[in-house]
Amino acid sequence: MTITPEREAALLASVPTGLLINGEWRDASDGGTFDVFDPATGEKLATLASATSEDAMAALDAADAVQASWALTAPRERAEILRRAFDMITARAEDFALLMSLEMGKPIPEARGEVTYGAEFLRWFSEETVRDYGRYLTTPEGKNKIIVQTKPVGPCLLITPWNFPLAMATRKVGPAVAAGCTMVLKPAKLTPLTSQLFAQVMMEAGLPAGVLNVVSSASASKISGPIMADSRLRKVSFTGSTAVGKMLMKDATENVLRTSMELGGNAPFLVFEDADIDAAVEGAMAAKMRNMGEACTAANRFLVHEAVAEEFTTKFAAAMGALKTGRGTDPSTNVGPLIDGNARDDVHALVEKAVAAGAIAITGGAPVEGPGFFYAPTVLSNVANDAEILRQEIFGPVAPVTTFRDEAHAIELANASEYGLASYIFTKDHNRLFRVAEQIEFGLVGFNAGVISNAAAPFGGVKHSGLGREGGAEGLAEYTTTQYIGIADPYAV
């Protein structure tokens, strides 16, 4: 794909800029708009309608109106819609990759990877749609028959983050469609364009009007507040910060909503003394630098056995220092910008505090001068085990390295976090893998691998990293409710 200004302009012009309500793109009820910017240049990309609370309720009205009929739609029909959408997104992979690169900043090769990853949720759940099994059995005393069936939970509010504009939408919309739920989707205001185009594809794939409604807005609270206060909503699925997730969980108590919360992370990356160091460095690059470090699964705490810490840190710093920052559309770019100026300032503040406390920036350690919100890939050594940078989610291309003495010490350091989403273990000892995995408090464990997310696997964490799972059979179950039917056994005596 040759990327030119004309190619970018044509793609942006093809993206719907209104609100999708009951199958129609429309302006906001008050005519309000908001702008979307390129984080690599700071230039405006597009202007979108900004949904109001009135628009949010109109979207819920549309979702509620078709919930009953959509729930009764044959599983095969729902499955075929998802499969057609998968095929259409795959056919337009270059468009989606470029759009994500423009609004979020990631390099085109990585954006292509997200298209593959994000589209797979549609294919996976298209296959699972017809495999939502129930049970039929006899009660132990033989007096009755038991039928257990699953039903769609009902209208859902889906709130997606800015860092994976396609995958976070497909990971929620896919299982909701498979289960027979209607939806109101609220994309992040920083990166709504991909969701807008994705919704258009879903409509072209045959999704009935009202099943998926999209209310992009400059104000998240104007959308979530009134919808969650309405008893017709039955579920909220949120991916984002722990602070916002806690507020949404409080709001969800009023109507006892089903909740799926995929929140913050602070992943430990454990390198034991017997690890293949070159493989560990390769895994560290993948776990740290995917999405410029702007991922809840990003490795944030590099815990390395003191016997191999020097070798690992030297090789890791060399690999990080060789990366090139730039606009994602540049073929030579390895690392795109952070999402905005505030994000870059927050990352740099953590680095400055760490250095002031004695850490050493082996490579990087500062923002990149010039337009856009770039930060140099950074490796910090000599980081104290109680440093603030090890306690907070960095969300940027910064890797603090600290050491541990033995297996017990490694487990202690890994668990010294309020978060419990992703973790990574590098060792040649399979017995150690299982010992450590049993004792560390994380929902995801990567064994000698830096990237493990997959549509077929349950994704989610423990502690302040949230509750519920996305992906796999567990992801479909999040959108269903269980019903038991007891029948008198005609053969019982």
Side-chain angles (χ1 to χ4, degrees), residues 98-117:
L98 176 55
L99 191 58
M100 280 191 285
S101 184
L102 292 176
E103 68 172 342
M104 191 268 156
K106 64 185 68 185
I108 285 291
E110 188 167 347
R112 289 177 180 137
E114 182 175 340
V115 174
T116 301
Y117 171 61

Side-chain angles (χ1 to χ4, degrees), residues 17 37 83 117 179 198 204 228 235 241 281 309 322 370 417 428 443:
T17 57
F37 297 90
R83 181 59 193 229
Y117 171 61
F198 166 56
E204 292 172 1
M228 292 181 66
K235 176 183 173 64
S241 72
V281 169
S417 173
K428 295 177 182 176

Side-chain angles (χ1 to χ4, degrees), residues 68-148:
S69 61
W70 177 240
L72 294 174
T73 302
R76 178 65 68 195
E77 184 174 341
R78 298 199 302 269
E80 291 299 329
I81 291 171
L82 288 173
R83 181 59 193 229
R84 285 195 295 271
F86 165 80
D87 290 337
M88 294 168 72
I89 288 176
T90 301
R92 297 191 62 182
E94 292 300 297
D95 284 346
F96 276 96
L98 176 55
L99 191 58
M100 280 191 285
S101 184
L102 292 176
E103 68 172 342
M104 191 268 156
K106 64 185 68 185
I108 285 291
E110 188 167 347
R112 289 177 180 137
E114 182 175 340
V115 174
T116 301
Y117 171 61
E120 185 60 24
F121 284 100
L122 303 178
R123 178 162 63 175
W124 166 262
F125 284 110
S126 75
E127 295 165 344
E128 289 296 290
T129 303
V130 297
R131 299 185 177 91
D132 188 12
Y133 303 118
R135 300 200 309 276
Y136 175 76
L137 64 156
T138 302
T139 59
E141 71 280 2
K143 298 294 186 181
N144 292 300
K145 296 292 187 182
I146 294 173
I147 295 177
V148 179

Side-chain angles (χ1 to χ4, degrees), residues 397-411:
V398 176
V401 181
T402 190
T403 62
F404 62 83
R405 298 182 302 274
D406 52 29
E407 188 174 301
H409 191 208
I411 292 169

Side-chain angles (χ1 to χ4, degrees), residues 398-485:
V398 176
V401 181
T402 190
T403 62
F404 62 83
R405 298 182 302 274
D406 52 29
E407 188 174 301
H409 191 208
I411 292 169
E412 176 188 349
L413 293 177
N415 286 339
S417 173
E418 63 184 4
Y419 299 105
L421 184 59
S423 60
Y424 305 90
I425 300 171
F426 276 74
T427 177
K428 295 177 182 176
D429 186 342
H430 286 69
N431 290 332
R432 170 179 281 155
L433 160 69
F434 288 108
R435 287 196 304 269
V436 175
E438 286 282 351
Q439 296 178 73
I440 59 175
E441 300 163 343
F442 294 88
L444 311 174
V445 179
F447 174 43
N448 291 338
V451 177
I452 59 172
S453 298
N454 191 280
F459 184 102
V462 298
K463 300 195 289 188
H464 286 206
S465 287
L467 46 85
R469 293 294 183 267
E470 294 185 308
E474 294 83 355
L476 180 58
E478 293 285 336
Y479 290 86
T480 64
T481 184
T482 301
Q483 184 178 58
Y484 155 56
I485 302 172

Side-chain angles (χ1 to χ4, degrees), residues 275-286:
D276 180 327
I277 299 302
D278 290 335
V281 169
E282 183 179 352
M285 292 296 293

Side-chain angles (χ1 to χ4, degrees), residues 123-337:
R123 178 162 63 175
W124 166 262
F125 284 110
S126 75
E127 295 165 344
E128 289 296 290
T129 303
V130 297
R131 299 185 177 91
D132 188 12
Y133 303 118
R135 300 200 309 276
Y136 175 76
L137 64 156
T138 302
T139 59
E141 71 280 2
K143 298 294 186 181
N144 292 300
K145 296 292 187 182
I146 294 173
I147 295 177
V148 179
Q149 66 175 359
T150 59
K151 301 169 64 175
V153 71
C156 304
L157 173 62
L158 313 178
I159 306 174
T160 56
W162 51 261
N163 55 342
F164 289 92
L166 179 62
M168 296 302 97
T170 58
R171 196 159 76 178
K172 297 181 189 298
V173 170
V177 169
C181 296
T182 58
M183 299 148 281
V184 177
L185 172 64
K186 165 59 179 73
K189 68 178 180 180
L190 293 173
T191 60
L193 300 178
T194 304
S195 290
Q196 299 277 122
L197 185 59
F198 166 56
Q200 181 64 43
V201 168
M202 291 299 297
M203 296 293 291
E204 292 172 1
L207 196 67
V211 174
L212 173 62
N213 305 274
V214 182
V215 283
S216 296
S217 179
S219 172
S221 61
K222 287 182 179 179
I223 305 304
S224 63
I227 291 182
M228 292 181 66
D230 193 300
S231 62
R232 294 174 297 173
L233 187 76
R234 297 314 312 143
K235 176 183 173 64
V236 58
S237 177
F238 170 74
T239 300
S241 72
T242 297
V244 174
K246 288 179 178 180
M247 290 189 291
L248 290 172
M249 290 175 71
K250 289 179 181 179
D251 291 343
T253 61
E254 186 65 27
N255 284 317
V256 196
L257 297 177
R258 285 278 296 276
T259 58
S260 297
M261 295 285 156
E262 198 268 281
L263 308 177
N266 193 5
F269 190 99
L270 307 178
V271 182
F272 287 92
E273 68 274 18
D274 66 337
D276 180 327
I277 299 302
D278 290 335
V281 169
E282 183 179 352
M285 292 296 293
K288 175 75 261 183
M289 294 307 294
R290 184 186 185 197
N291 228 46
M292 293 78 73
E294 296 174 311
C296 54
T297 57
N300 278 351
R301 299 176 290 147
F302 289 83
L303 313 178
V304 187
H305 191 279
E306 53 194 15
V308 295
E310 182 177 356
E311 179 185 1
F312 173 83
T313 305
T314 299
K315 291 181 175 180
F316 188 24
M320 290 279 277
L323 298 176
K324 180 181 181 298
T325 60
R327 193 170 189 245
T329 54
D330 184 338
S332 66
T333 292
N334 305 118
V335 185

